[in-house]
Amino acid sequence: MKSLLARGLAACGCLALTACSSLGSAEDRLSELLIAVPGDVSSFDPATGNSGNDHIFLYPVFDTLLSFDPETTEPRPGLAESWEYEDQNTLVLTLREGVTFHDGEPLDAEAVKANLDRSRSEGSNLQSELGSISAVEAVDPRTVRVELAEPDLALPLIFADRAGMMVSPTSLEDPDALASAPVGTGPWELKEWKRGSAVEYVANDDYWNEEVYASPRMTYRVLTDPKTRVDSLITNQVDFSYQVGPGDAEGLALNEAITVQSDPSIRVPLIYLDLSDELLADTRVREALNIAVDREQMAEVGYFGYARPASTYFPEEHWASVEGEEQYPHDPERARELIREAGAEGAEISILLPNDANTVRRSEIIRYAYEDIGLQVDMQPRELVQSTTEFFDENRAPALLSAWTGRPDPAQTYAQLLAEAGYYNTGGVATPGLEEAVDRSHEQDSDEARAEELKEAGRAAFKNATFVPLVFEDTIVAYANQVEGYQPNLLGKPKFTDIREVG
């Protein structure tokens, strides 16, 4: 059976304005790429990290079994040069020849089996994505047969994400060390992780893909304050700033030595909810939380127009979207009625959030909206990784203002976010009808049929008011004009390969 191809948003747009200032005289950095990033990695272990922000730290070290087209998220060859469904319940991967891990171990079928078996076992955050797999067989050194308990046409793109990141079998013997000392097959090797400060990479001289360029050295500087990331670029301390704040983009674009680029993505800032919490278990309260928020205001004021209102998990152009038919109105009067009907007037809701200035500012829009409908709101800013750890792992608050950064296949979003066993579904409460629709989508034999079932899952999530989607956020980056080769993708998580400094 031919694997299904994903469809995505239209080609990305670009904002590039120039005018007056300059970077000043720059030292020759042709051998090092310096990138300002907004937060640290939670773990270098692909199976146990808990932040969507981790991907940009993992991509340099780990190749994936399959890759994806950056503009459409269609599956592409990766460590597996080809893949084929022999039947609905059997996926066969043919691995590339001659690929080795950073420690010299060969990437072979036994290594792939060890990784997949681990990722679908207890203790992995990827179990919900790989639940369809019943067995993995190393047929010969280059052939992996994946047996399925039920059809699953999402697997090729699942293998383009964390579940497809291959770790050296030697490293798997010490998973505790893997969290800080990763060994993959990627274009870079980790040189040093200075927690909360910087991550340094060096190029993998034995990288299998000669068509990919990797800067000899690459360093991420963790700068949580958005103004500091901008200033570090203006003063030539970095070459590239990732996730530029929308409020800084227009002013930064006036600098004639800097390019500012804005691209649509499937990133969804949202409020995660613990549906096992007594207050949030009531659907009326969750609906009130959704309709109390003015999403147009959030897009224009909170994101300075670099976003669009979101009531669901995929923008209207996406092939699995129901955004065009399902939208929460801004109706604070009805929200107050729902809070009264639920007997929740005066109830307190604590919301964790990252402590960067932009998120804190947006949280005030939410605070006002929720206090206006009769709730007491306790906003709890934390460092980025701490906020996610306290919510997803330690259950210290019933809500988290953060973002869903998207995954290559929409079934992954539903499996991780909303399925009963999904890691990001902290309360472990099922969304009625959602998992059944996703399961049916795996059994279809056409794009159109699969899309219809995934749309049913989207309708179920909307009806249940499971979380509070806010906007679809553009990915904004800025870089010195001598930097060339940056390629965005729909996930808003660049891989930073093929970026060069010229002149």
Side-chain angles (χ1 to χ4, degrees):
M1 178 182 295
K2 183 180 179 181
S3 62
L4 291 179
L5 300 182
R7 294 189 294 269
L9 296 174
C12 297
C14 173
L15 169 69
L17 307 176
T18 60
C20 53
S21 185
S22 86
L23 287 172
S25 58
E27 62 181 88
D28 183 5
R29 289 213 206 94
L30 297 181
S31 65
E32 183 173 23
L33 179 65
L34 298 171
I35 301 173
V37 299
D40 206 349
V41 62
S42 70
S43 171
F44 278 100
D45 183 347
T48 62
N50 63 18
S51 173
N53 187 58
D54 289 349
H55 285 74
I56 63 167
F57 294 88
L58 299 175
Y59 285 144
V61 178
F62 298 107
D63 289 313
T64 49
L65 285 175
L66 296 176
S67 188
F68 62 88
D69 183 280
E71 294 186 358
T72 66
T73 71
E74 292 180 0
R76 292 286 184 263
L79 292 173
E81 63 183 17
S82 64
W83 68 99
E84 180 183 10
Y85 281 93
E86 288 187 343
D87 54 57
Q88 281 194 320
N89 292 84
T90 308
L91 175 62
V92 176
L93 306 173
T94 301
L95 304 179
R96 294 184 185 277
E97 191 170 9
V99 178
T100 59
F101 290 97
H102 299 154
D103 60 6
E105 290 290 315
L107 174 85
D108 56 19
E110 289 291 348
V112 172
K113 172 178 167 56
N115 273 269
L116 295 181
D117 284 346
R118 174 182 184 250
S119 292
R120 62 194 186 91
S121 64
E122 188 173 352
S124 166
N125 296 339
L126 306 174
Q127 283 181 284
S128 62
E129 293 187 356
L130 302 175
S132 64
I133 298 177
S134 59
V136 180
E137 178 188 0
V139 179
D140 59 47
R142 293 185 58 207
T143 307
V144 180
R145 177 176 286 111
V146 182
E147 300 290 350
L148 307 177
E150 57 192 23
D152 190 351
L153 293 177
L155 272 182
L157 283 175
I158 289 174
F159 288 158
D161 201 67
R162 282 180 180 266
M165 294 181 180
M166 295 292 101
V167 179
S168 166
T170 303
S171 292
L172 292 179
E173 296 173 4
D174 188 0
D176 292 335
L178 174 58
S180 58
V183 181
T185 65
W188 285 276
E189 300 178 43
L190 180 66
K191 179 183 178 183
E192 186 175 6
W193 177 19
K194 301 174 183 177
R195 294 175 189 263
S197 175
V199 178
E200 300 177 7
Y201 302 92
V202 293
N204 173 12
D205 292 334
D206 296 322
Y207 190 52
W208 60 271
N209 191 346
E210 295 181 356
E211 296 181 1
V212 168
Y213 173 78
S215 176
R217 291 181 295 154
M218 180 170 69
T219 298
Y220 293 170
R221 292 184 175 170
V222 179
L223 303 173
T224 58
D225 180 66
K227 292 289 186 184
T228 304
R229 291 199 298 279
V230 167
D231 290 344
S232 68
L233 180 60
I234 293 173
T235 57
N236 202 40
Q237 298 176 60
V238 299
D239 308 299
F240 193 107
S241 182
Y242 172 60
Q243 288 193 359
V244 171
D248 300 316
E250 295 292 344
L252 189 58
L254 296 175
N255 190 316
E256 63 182 8
I258 292 173
T259 297
V260 178
Q261 185 164 328
S262 172
D263 300 284
S265 77
I266 56 177
R267 178 184 174 95
V268 188
L270 52 76
I271 304 173
Y272 292 84
L273 303 176
D274 180 349
L275 273 60
S276 68
D277 177 77
E278 183 178 358
L279 174 67
L280 300 178
D282 194 318
T283 308
R284 293 170 296 185
V285 173
R286 300 198 302 273
E287 183 181 348
L289 295 179
N290 270 285
I291 65 176
V293 176
D294 185 341
R295 289 169 169 81
E296 292 283 352
Q297 179 192 43
M298 181 62 75
E300 291 302 317
V301 177
Y303 290 85
F304 295 87
Y306 289 95
R308 292 175 289 166
S311 294
T312 64
Y313 299 93
F314 302 103
E316 192 168 353
E317 299 90 342
H318 191 279
W319 62 278
S321 175
V322 292
E323 183 70 23
E325 61 182 84
E326 305 283 15
Q327 295 184 0
Y328 295 112
H330 176 222
D331 192 345
E333 183 175 346
R334 174 58 181 158
R336 293 186 201 101
E337 291 177 2
L338 288 167
I339 292 296
R340 286 195 295 269
E341 290 174 10
E345 288 180 292
E348 180 177 307
I349 179 170
S350 296
I351 304 177
L352 289 162
L353 65 147
N355 61 3
D356 67 276
N358 285 332
T359 303
V360 171
R361 180 173 56 81
R362 293 164 194 148
S363 74
E364 290 305 306
I365 298 175
I366 293 166
R367 180 201 297 275
Y368 175 82
Y370 288 170
E371 290 181 346
D372 184 52
I373 65 172
L375 298 174
Q376 298 182 55
V377 183
D378 176 24
M379 291 292 182
Q380 301 183 12
R382 301 283 193 273
E383 184 274 329
L384 174 63
V385 173
Q386 183 182 356
S387 69
T388 56
T389 298
E390 288 191 13
F391 182 73
F392 295 115
D393 296 334
E394 299 173 0
N395 305 111
R396 294 196 182 186
L400 168 70
L401 173 60
S402 186
W404 174 246
T405 58
R407 298 294 186 270
D409 191 275
Q412 291 176 268
T413 288
Y414 293 129
Q416 289 277 30
L417 269 185
L418 307 177
E420 186 173 359
Y423 172 75
Y424 297 96
N425 181 359
T426 303
V429 177
T431 297
L434 181 139
E435 292 182 64
E436 294 83 353
V438 173
D439 287 344
R440 291 194 302 271
S441 77
H442 296 325
E443 301 171 3
Q444 307 307 313
D445 58 3
S446 72
D447 286 354
E448 292 76 13
R450 187 160 184 249
E452 281 307 309
E453 296 297 348
L454 289 168
K455 289 179 180 181
E456 281 300 313
R459 295 181 186 107
F462 179 87
K463 182 179 180 181
N464 198 52
T466 310
F467 295 160
V468 185
L470 297 170
V471 296
F472 298 111
E473 179 184 5
D474 291 352
T475 299
I476 309 173
V477 302
Y479 46 88
N481 286 346
Q482 68 264 29
V483 172
E484 294 183 352
Y486 166 67
Q487 185 173 36
N489 59 52
L490 280 178
L491 303 185
K493 305 172 187 179
K495 297 187 177 183
F496 295 120
T497 51
D498 297 323
I499 293 180
R500 304 171 186 263
E501 288 190 86
V502 295

